[in-house]
């Protein structure tokens, strides 16, 4: 029987429910770049050779699969035959779940433990999916079954992404159609906190691990946001972890987009204005060498800030915000009926467009 | 010899050079969450048992590795001995590159092709790294050598991430220290284009692949940005691809942050204001069913827009922007001397802070 665990179904269904671009989510059949999966793995079997070798080597299995498949759909087959056919089919084909875009998702909870059995089932399944006109195949291999990875690669599967517990492989079947499988996550997200206290002092840190270029520099506290963490709470957490200072998030005042930063991925870095709620500094010895409150005028005058286009501009923006001459984007928690997913929409607060959320700071609000 | 290809060195060095949070980049020794690599793989050898079994099984190799290692550092060894020791060492230990944070990066260009040889070398190398007090180990296995994956997993390596051509595995050696290896990319980035023409009509599309909830809905053109693509050019490209309409990017007017969207990753969706430069619609048959220009008043009155908090708010913002009562963030290309990396800084244009870039639209600029 084609089946899959409930959690897997949830994950897949979830991917179709995005904001306005839901149809572009993974498993949606639409990708940003066909090149991600259109070419075949070098040194592994090409599809055609795989098919032909499978045909000769697994000729019997193939025809059994055909019988099993037709038998499965047939009415009027007596119980004995049906059971026989079903057990033959179960041995020969991998359990899958159809996605909504003409593809299949292999049920990773029902993978055979024997690599030879897996190899044979995978080959038969590929023939079966091809015959049925299936498009993309998703094969998630748990780390406990890593011995199946080379087998899948040999059959022409490609790595798609990996997390600690598994590696996801994909196979695009239609040779005449461009590969429409979606790509992997592409960005890491960082936050930097511009924290000001009531004495117009900026919270700055010196890093323990720094390149020779920035050794001894006083900088804003920064860090990556955690998995599923909000930008606004991530900024508050990072400042607290590194310096011990409690803060209130005000606005994203700017963000920087850079490429090829880590593992050839891109980086989005959000510069956040935060209001200090406490003064006492307790540094995190693991990553911070020193932290202190530095008068804003002194911060601005640092050669590293003054002499650099980017740092200078960011500092100017922060100063403009303090003079209420600048308006960043503030977060608003909203649930869209479209997908029912709670999410944060970051936008300016102007022109009375924030009547649903009057408690939130506006750009004309004083810092202190 | 400890060595690595030039391109690998470039990639690693690059990761230390970010904007203000450079020290948090991968390979930096600082992570957002120790849980990402602190626990051992179930069913695989724990470190201690791996070490003890290695000791008994590879006792000879271990002592040879010791000799080779000390010999390598020794002065006054004659050439003959040195060559011998070097060749013994080369057979026993994997070639690595030291990172700047006490870890090692295995040279994937010099992996042995024989799985048994790899297994033996990996065990010896782990002993050697442990003895030397090394911390994180990065092991990139090209797809052409996928047969090495189960061997590395058996030794306690964990999946870190994967791209089409390789899977990256990691091993955190110090048992008494929390794992400090950085996490994988966490976000996908989408763009939506609010395109207006001179007749105050909005460019809308109907998707080919849509959930039952949004079948027949007229929506903004949306999509994912490509690898290393800018948000501003990604928005222009998506609109062009889907509808054939040429546009000029004006501003990011808001963005949405949502979690657990695809493969349990997060999603950043940037809503962009674009000015139409052409009128003629030529749809992309692959993903779009229909596209048209819809009067703004009609767009706003659609039940899907009116009845939904998120869509309603986004539409209000776009209208406020048209009345010059709202100011989004516009991109500015800047190179920071800090890392020499060209990147895009998105911020408001206010208060004369954009004297370096006077050509750019400001929030008070008319659409037409």
């Amino acid at each position: 029987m084609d089946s899959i665990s409930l959690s897997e179904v949830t994950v897949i269904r979830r991917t179709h429910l995005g904001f306005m671009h839901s149809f572009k989510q993974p498993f949606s059949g639409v990708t940003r770049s066909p090149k991600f999966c259109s070419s075949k793995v070098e040194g592994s079997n090409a599809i055609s050779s795989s098919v032909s070798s499978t045909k000769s080597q697994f000729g019997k299995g193939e025809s059994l699969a055909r019988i099993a498949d037709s038998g499965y759909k047939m009415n009027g087959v007596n119980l004995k035959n049906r059971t026989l056919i079903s057990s033959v089919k179960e041995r020969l084909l991998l359990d899958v779940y159809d996605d909504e875009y003409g593809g299949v998702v292999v049920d990773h909870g029902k993978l055979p433990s024997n690599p030879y059995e897996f190899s044979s089932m995978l080959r038969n399944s590929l023939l079966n999916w091809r015959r049925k006109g299936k498009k993309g195949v998703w094969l998630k291999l748990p780390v406990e079954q890593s011995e199946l990875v080379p087998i899948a690669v040999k059959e022409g599967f490609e790595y798609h992404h990996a997390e600690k517990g598994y590696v996801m492989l994909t196979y695009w079947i239609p040779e005449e159609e461009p590969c429409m499988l979606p790509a992997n996550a592409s960005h890491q997200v960082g936050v930097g906190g511009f924290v000001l206290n009531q004495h117009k002092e900026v919270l700055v840190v010196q890093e323990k691990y720094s390149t020779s270029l920035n050794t001894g520099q006083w900088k804003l506290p920064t860090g990556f946001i955690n998995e599923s963490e909000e930008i606004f709470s991530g900024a508050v957490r990072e400042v607290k972890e590194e310096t011990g200072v409690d803060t209130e998030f005000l606005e994203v005042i700017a963000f920087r987009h850079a490429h090829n930063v880590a593992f050839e991925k891109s980086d989005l870095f959000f510069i956040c204005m935060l209001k200090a709620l406490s003064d006492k500094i307790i540094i995190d010895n693991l990553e911070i060498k020193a932290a202190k409150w530095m008068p804003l005028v002194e911060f601005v005058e640092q050669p590293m800030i003054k002499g650099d286009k980017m740092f200078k501009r960011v500092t100017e923006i922060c100063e403009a915000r303090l003079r209420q001459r600048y308006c960043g984007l503030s977060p608003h928690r909203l649930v869209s009926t479209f997908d029912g997913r709670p999410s944060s929409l970051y936008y300016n607060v102007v022109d009375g467009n924030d009547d649903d959320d009057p408690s939130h700071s506006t750009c004309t609000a004083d810092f202190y």
Side-chain angles (χ1 to χ4, degrees), chain A:
Chain A
M1 295 287 290
D2 291 3
S3 68
I4 202 153
S5 69
L6 187 63
S7 65
E8 182 75 338
V9 174
T10 313
V11 167
I12 294 156
R13 293 257 156 93
R14 233 168 18 192
T15 62
H16 298 298
L17 305 169
F19 169 52
M20 302 211 279
H21 64 138
S22 63
F23 61 101
K24 296 270 182 126
Q25 303 295 4
F27 304 99
S28 72
V30 181
T31 182
R32 52 185 147 190
S33 174
K35 76 175 162 8
F36 274 91
C37 47
S38 56
S39 70
K40 289 293 136 195
V41 178
E42 238 179 279
S44 75
N45 295 341
I47 298 182
S48 54
S49 69
S50 164
V51 169
S52 60
S53 72
T54 305
K55 268 185 180 153
S56 55
Q57 202 178 336
F58 289 90
K60 197 181 162 193
E62 221 284 89
S63 58
L64 275 174
R66 260 182 214 279
I67 294 162
D69 194 51
S70 60
Y72 179 60
K73 284 179 183 163
M74 218 160 29
N75 290 322
V77 178
N78 69 46
L79 188 64
K80 196 178 159 191
N81 280 358
R82 191 171 237 173
T83 312
L84 175 70
I85 285 164
S86 170
S87 78
V88 167
K89 176 175 180 286
E90 274 168 21
R91 198 169 52 80
L92 291 169
L93 299 176
L94 293 168
D95 279 306
V96 294
Y97 170 77
D98 285 337
D99 70 21
E100 290 174 34
Y101 299 92
V104 291
V105 183
V106 176
D107 183 355
H108 64 268
K110 293 187 177 175
L111 293 166
S113 53
N114 182 317
Y116 298 101
E117 198 180 340
F118 173 71
S119 174
S120 156
M121 287 171 86
L122 186 58
R123 285 186 173 206
N124 286 332
S125 298
L126 277 169
L127 286 169
N128 186 44
W129 297 327
R130 188 182 298 279
R131 207 173 48 239
K132 283 180 169 172
K134 294 293 177 191
K135 296 184 175 181
V137 182
W138 295 90
L139 175 63
K140 185 178 185 172
L141 296 178
V143 69
E144 297 80 12
Q145 292 188 270
S146 63
E147 65 280 3
L148 306 184
V149 172
I151 297 167
V153 168
K154 210 175 166 194
E155 290 303 322
F157 275 79
E158 291 178 339
Y159 296 137
H160 184 274
H161 70 279
E163 294 296 326
K164 198 179 144 188
Y166 71 90
V167 58
M168 178 76 88
L169 296 106
T170 54
Y171 192 110
W172 182 251
I173 296 177
E175 282 162 66
E176 69 287 355
E177 279 180 47
C179 172
M180 301 289 262
L181 298 174
N184 189 2
S186 54
H187 284 67
Q188 57 183 18
V189 175
V191 285
F194 188 91
V195 183
L196 211 78
N197 68 11
Q198 66 271 43
H199 310 299
K200 283 220 169 181
E201 292 170 324
V202 189
L203 184 59
V204 290
V205 298
Q206 273 185 4
E207 297 155 7
K208 214 159 187 171
Y209 298 93
S210 57
T211 59
S212 52
L213 269 168
N214 63 351
T215 302
Q217 291 290 355
W218 290 102
K219 299 166 67 192
L220 303 181
T222 59
F224 285 120
I225 63 171
N226 285 334
E227 195 183 321
S228 296
E229 188 177 34
E230 300 299 327
I231 291 164
F232 59 84
S233 49
V236 169
R237 177 191 50 75
E238 275 291 341
V239 170
K240 177 72 177 172
E241 275 178 15
E242 294 192 358
T243 68
V245 173
D246 293 305
T247 55
E248 180 194 332
F249 183 91
L250 294 179
E251 287 159 29
V252 166
I253 57 142
F255 65 89
R256 187 211 197 201
H257 196 196
H259 303 294
N260 295 311
V261 175
F263 311 122
E264 293 162 59
K265 297 287 184 175
S266 298
D267 182 275
L268 273 164
F269 181 73
F270 293 87
I271 301 139
C272 307
M273 290 285 272
L274 301 162
K275 185 174 171 170
L277 298 178
S278 70
D279 259 340
K280 196 180 172 186
I281 289 172
I282 307 160
I283 64 163
D284 169 19
N285 283 316
L286 215 57
E287 43 179 311
I288 298 298
K289 201 160 66 184
K292 67 172 182 179
W293 291 102
M294 182 185 270
L296 180 57
V297 278
E298 192 183 320
F299 180 77
V300 173
E301 288 302 315
Q302 288 186 107
M304 182 187 74
I305 302 293
K306 254 178 106 171
D308 186 87
K309 267 196 168 183
M310 173 106 44
F311 292 162
K312 189 167 170 273
R313 180 57 40 96
V314 167
T315 311
E316 283 167 359
I317 293 169
C318 292
E319 285 186 298
R321 175 61 186 85
L322 291 175
R323 295 197 311 274
Q324 301 171 14
R325 303 294 296 265
Y326 186 90
C327 198
L329 308 181
S330 50
H332 306 261
R333 294 293 288 172
L334 282 174
V335 177
S336 171
T337 53
F338 183 67
D339 64 3
R341 190 190 300 279
S343 61
S344 301
L345 189 67
Y346 288 74
Y347 57 90
N348 262 350
V349 180
V350 287
D351 210 14
N353 72 4
D354 201 36
D355 44 301
D356 288 348
D357 191 3
S359 67
H360 203 91
S361 74
T362 70
C363 298
T364 51
D366 276 331
F367 252 69
Y368 291 98

